[in-house]
Amino acid sequence: MNDPLPDLVARFRVRQGLFRKETVEARVYELDSYGCVMKTDKVFEPGDTLVLELVMDMPFEEIRAEDVSGLVTEKRKHCSNFFYSIDFSDLNTKDASPLSEKLRRIHEVLLKKQSLKSRRGPGPVASMRQLA
């Protein structure tokens, strides 16, 4: 895995004890219309179902896709964390529901951010070396 996607987090709730739930934020490393890959220290097994809230932080507002049902399909250990492949189980990509529209919007903004970042290059030091 490379770097996490810019300004995008997945939030979900996990049961802590009998009456308490904890909200967890996890970085998202891949996203497409069929699912995502996220990294967290919480333990899940393939076959578990999560209800995610994908939040993209923007300068003026957040883009939120709430109540995204996901099925854990793969688990890979990385140090003390796990990478989870999540399939969006209840989502129809051809459907024009508000949820699928929000996910499309998040994906479009991500693609634009990544293309802008790749055009900027690795940083000012590299461009100074090219000039010399």
Side-chain angles (χ1 to χ4, degrees):
M1 293 289 139
N2 294 338
D3 296 325
L5 296 174
D7 305 320
L8 182 65
V9 294
R11 292 184 185 143
F12 53 94
R13 295 183 58 86
V14 199
R15 184 178 297 252
Q16 294 288 88
L18 189 57
F19 298 108
R20 212 174 106 218
K21 287 189 174 185
E22 172 188 8
T23 300
V24 178
E25 278 194 6
R27 296 300 309 202
V28 178
Y29 285 75
E30 291 179 21
L31 177 71
D32 61 22
S33 56
Y34 302 105
C36 68
V37 174
M38 69 178 190
K39 181 180 178 183
T40 183
D41 61 346
K42 301 301 178 189
V43 179
F44 300 105
E45 295 300 324
D48 289 349
T49 302
L50 299 174
V51 178
L52 301 174
E53 175 184 22
L54 295 172
V55 181
M56 171 159 264
D57 190 25
M58 300 293 288
F60 298 108
E61 66 178 307
E62 293 179 336
I63 304 173
R64 292 175 176 267
E66 298 172 330
D67 297 328
V68 180
S69 181
L71 178 69
V72 177
T73 57
E74 187 180 349
K75 171 180 164 181
R76 292 176 304 241
K77 185 153 177 66
H78 181 263
C79 298
S80 63
N81 291 306
F82 296 94
F83 282 103
Y84 293 103
S85 294
I86 312 285
D87 283 352
F88 299 147
S89 50
D90 293 340
L91 193 64
N92 183 355
T93 57
K94 296 176 180 85
D95 170 357
S97 71
L99 177 60
S100 61
E101 288 299 319
K102 286 181 182 178
L103 282 172
R104 274 189 215 117
R105 176 75 179 130
I106 289 173
H107 194 254
E108 288 171 4
V109 171
L110 275 173
L111 290 174
K112 288 178 184 177
K113 281 186 172 196
Q114 289 173 327
S115 70
L116 285 172
K117 186 178 178 181
S118 68
R119 275 192 260 163
R120 275 190 257 153
V125 175
S127 61
M128 293 298 282
R129 287 184 187 152
Q130 287 176 352
L131 290 176

